[in-house]
Amino acid sequence: GESVGLHLPTLSVQEGDNSIINCAYSNSASDYFIWYKQESGKGPQFIIDIRSNMDKRQGQRVTVLLNKTVKHLSLQIAATQPGDSAVYFCAESRWAGTALIFGKGTTLSVSS
Amino acid sequence: EPEVTQTPSHQVTQMGQEVILRCVPISNHLYFYWYRQILGQKVEFLVSFYNNEISEKSEIFDDQFSVERPDGSNFTLKIRSTKLEDSAMYFCASSTGASYNEQFFGPGTRLTVL
């Protein structure tokens, strides 16, 4: 069945380091991928997205990389800050308007 | 900045009771969704709603669940006879349905079934 998973349940970094969070997906028909950040007691917050016709997209301090050959997605956070501490989920969908299938989440802890 | 809102923030109910969770999606959005998250687990899709009908639903969304858009602003999730395993955070989301499928999530309703 469809599933999206993350390689590591937790990641601990020092403030100022670059963080890389990985995700493997299984549905080759997925067309759209998103990274969400979830802080304790809150709903998922959009970080960055990418379509399957791209392999890289950059935002402010964040970059998403998509490798369709090995069905791998990663989120890179530059100069990680304590405020980046949260659970990060990748999610996939087939096309616009369809269900997002979430992975299990990676808890990022940033120490100063 | 427009946002999805949800009420109540916390709902406690007895097993077997009916609950209605309410959401106000972002006003110009056309697609509406419900997801749930059991404590410590991943977010799971329940149902999507477009043009006043269900467009997609998961295996979780069985006959105990229903959704409705009773007016131009609200979007509700009803659980007819709650079970202990329905205890979870329930998130409403909405999107424009444009080519990038960014879904905006509300803060969630924590449902506790006793």
Side-chain angles (χ1 to χ4, degrees):
Chain A
E2 297 177 336
S3 67
V4 177
L6 290 172
H7 293 299
L8 290 175
T10 61
L11 177 65
S12 297
V13 301
Q14 292 287 323
E15 181 178 4
D17 287 351
N18 295 331
S19 301
I20 299 176
I21 300 172
N22 296 304
C23 173
Y25 66 94
S26 61
N27 188 353
S28 56
S30 291
D31 179 56
Y32 179 68
F33 304 88
I34 305 182
W35 282 100
Y36 281 94
K37 171 186 179 183
Q38 187 177 28
E39 296 172 302
S40 182
K42 297 183 179 180
Q45 177 186 359
F46 172 86
I47 302 173
I48 191 167
D49 55 10
I50 189 167
R51 288 285 300 276
S52 61
N53 60 353
M54 303 173 69
D55 53 23
K56 181 179 180 179
R57 196 164 188 229
Q58 287 185 293
Q60 188 176 15
R61 281 201 307 120
V62 294
T63 300
V64 55
L65 299 177
L66 176 63
N67 185 331
K68 293 182 290 293
T69 302
V70 295
K71 288 186 272 187
H72 184 268
L73 190 70
S74 68
L75 175 70
Q76 300 177 359
I77 305 173
T80 313
Q81 302 168 359
D84 295 326
S85 294
V87 180
Y88 289 80
F89 293 93
C90 66
E92 61 174 324
S93 70
R94 288 168 290 151
W95 52 78
T98 60
L100 289 175
I101 306 302
F102 282 78
K104 292 183 180 179
T106 290
T107 300
L108 176 66
S109 299
V110 183
S111 52
S112 47
Chain B
E1 182 176 327
E3 58 183 16
V4 176
T5 59
Q6 291 185 242
T7 54
S9 56
H10 191 189
Q11 175 84 49
V12 181
T13 189
Q14 294 290 325
M15 188 170 54
Q17 295 296 304
E18 174 184 287
V19 295
I20 298 176
L21 310 183
R22 292 181 167 80
C23 168
V24 179
I26 294 173
S27 62
N28 65 336
H29 285 186
L30 301 177
Y31 289 80
F32 315 114
Y33 313 84
W34 284 101
Y35 293 82
R36 80 172 186 189
Q37 185 179 32
I38 295 172
L39 185 63
Q41 298 187 22
K42 64 181 180 180
V43 178
E44 300 175 290
F45 169 74
L46 294 178
V47 65
S48 60
F49 193 85
Y50 171 72
N51 199 27
N52 285 319
E53 62 183 24
I54 291 173
S55 52
E56 192 177 6
K57 62 182 181 179
S58 72
E59 294 177 351
I60 302 169
F61 194 87
D62 60 21
D63 292 343
Q64 293 298 315
F65 292 89
S66 62
V67 290
E68 188 178 27
R69 188 156 165 82
D71 53 44
S73 60
N74 290 284
F75 180 52
T76 62
L77 174 69
K78 180 192 290 187
I79 309 174
R80 289 189 184 83
S81 178
T82 51
K83 303 186 284 288
L84 295 176
E85 53 265 38
D86 293 327
S87 295
M89 282 290 286
Y90 287 81
F91 294 107
C92 174
S94 68
S95 73
T96 62
S99 58
Y100 275 84
N101 192 21
E102 180 183 350
Q103 296 181 19
F104 293 83
F105 283 75
T109 292
R110 177 168 298 284
L111 176 65
T112 301
V113 183
L114 302 175

